[in-house]
Amino acid sequence: MTTTLITGKGGTPHITSGDMGAMQAGIIGNGSYLLQGSDGTFPTVTMQDANHALIPVLNLVVEGRYARVTEAETATIESGVSGRNRNDLVCLKYTRNDQNIETAAIAVLKGTPNTGTAADPTVPSGSIHSASGTVWIPIARIPISGITPGTPVMLIKQIPPLSELWDSATRSFRENLKFQNAGSFTPCAYGQSNTITVAGGMIIVDLSGFKSNVRVGTFPVWQFQSGIKPSANISLGCIGTISGQNYGKQAVWTTAGDVTLTGGVVTGDLLQCYTRVLPVPEGITFA
């Protein structure tokens, strides 16, 4: 029989790690992810000293398998060589033996030192989904310049809790903007509201057109006044056209709350804006 009621009572033990891994991968994603800690932040790997990386308490979902570092532990980093650069990778190493017993541990992949730009070591191929015996999941990069290790760089993707994603998808937020300089950018007499609204998982961009009295390139024409800011820069795409021209002007909503106009304007240009509606990019939150 190929159809199984996984979480139903079967009379004998029948729920496997593969069952739960498939379900969790279907809900969270097929990749590898770092979950938020109990304090609401994403923990990071740090250097305890020149030869030890400190791995804090971590909650990880790797290809559907849930793994935890329940107490902070260290991983040994081999000493660097003067005049050479190297990247090491702190990883979660998953193993499956001949009896299908699965384990996970922190391990380090050592890079190859060279006199130029350091490159990450090759991560051995393998997939839990494909029942590989060994799978390496990079968590952080340790850049080493000569004998000095640098600040670890987190590599594993962060995934916010469902509550934040739900809030972002269902709650309404608004940001109010103002022109960087009303003398340099004279607003249209009956322009739009100069707001960006997030509602129902969509971004509604309503920016006022203006006449430019200056020549600028890529520039934060609209500045944050009040409201929300995105957790990462968001491309707003084409927001308007220059009067008399057949090309559009692009914009970026930055983490500072500004809206930067790319491509620039020259004195006398009249930017005619129109309302844009686009989906909230995956992983973006607002505060």
Side-chain angles (χ1 to χ4, degrees), residues 75 89-93 105-109 136:
L89 298 180
V90 175
C91 302
L92 182 77
K93 183 181 180 183
I106 296 295
V108 175
L109 280 175
W136 293 79

Side-chain angles (χ1 to χ4, degrees), residues 84-99:
R84 293 181 175 269
N85 303 311
R86 190 182 89 221
N87 286 345
D88 287 359
L89 298 180
V90 175
C91 302
L92 182 77
K93 183 181 180 183
Y94 163 95
T95 58
R96 180 203 304 264
N97 68 14
D98 293 339
Q99 287 75 46

Side-chain angles (χ1 to χ4, degrees), residues 12-259:
T12 58
H14 66 285
I15 301 175
T16 69
S17 63
D19 293 330
M20 298 310 298
M23 183 182 76
Q24 290 170 165
I27 294 172
I28 297 174
N30 288 323
S32 299
Y33 309 97
L34 173 65
L35 305 182
Q36 199 175 82
S38 59
D39 62 354
T41 66
F42 290 98
T44 59
V45 174
T46 58
M47 291 304 296
Q48 187 178 57
D49 55 46
N51 293 107
H52 295 92
L54 181 65
I55 294 85
V57 172
L58 297 178
N59 291 286
L60 307 166
V61 178
V62 292
E63 297 185 46
R65 299 298 198 271
Y66 175 45
R68 297 187 71 196
V69 178
T70 56
E71 295 183 9
E73 60 179 273
T74 60
T76 299
I77 305 298
E78 290 189 25
S79 297
V81 178
S82 181
R84 293 181 175 269
N85 303 311
R86 190 182 89 221
N87 286 345
D88 287 359
L89 298 180
V90 175
C91 302
L92 182 77
K93 183 181 180 183
Y94 163 95
T95 58
R96 180 203 304 264
N97 68 14
D98 293 339
Q99 287 75 46
N100 287 324
I101 302 300
E102 300 165 284
T103 58
I106 296 295
V108 175
L109 280 175
K110 181 184 175 183
T112 301
N114 62 63
T115 56
T117 301
D120 291 346
T122 300
V123 178
S125 61
S127 167
I128 298 174
H129 296 309
S130 301
S132 298
T134 304
V135 182
W136 293 79
I137 299 98
I139 296 174
R141 174 190 299 117
I142 311 296
I144 304 168
S145 177
I147 61 173
T148 305
T151 301
V153 178
M154 295 297 289
L155 301 176
I156 192 165
K157 183 183 292 186
Q158 299 176 349
I159 186 166
L162 289 175
S163 60
E164 288 188 14
L165 296 176
W166 178 255
D167 285 347
S168 294
T170 59
R171 292 173 56 192
S172 295
F173 308 90
R174 174 167 287 191
E175 174 176 298
N176 297 299
L177 297 119
K178 60 182 179 180
F179 283 105
Q180 190 270 348
N181 185 305
S184 299
F185 310 102
T186 305
C188 294
Y190 301 99
Q192 285 93 328
S193 63
N194 269 357
T195 59
I196 298 178
T197 304
V198 179
M202 305 300 290
I203 300 172
I204 302 101
V205 183
D206 191 48
L207 299 174
S208 176
F210 62 88
K211 178 182 179 181
S212 178
N213 300 310
V214 293
R215 182 187 185 98
V216 293
T218 298
F219 191 77
V221 173
W222 294 271
Q223 289 193 325
F224 176 82
Q225 187 172 38
S226 63
I228 61 168
K229 297 178 182 179
S231 60
N233 289 353
I234 299 174
S235 173
L236 301 178
C238 181
I239 62 161
T241 58
I242 297 293
S243 178
Q245 303 285 349
N246 61 359
Y247 56 86
K249 286 298 176 182
Q250 309 290 312
V252 176
W253 186 15
T254 74
T255 56
D258 300 330
V259 173

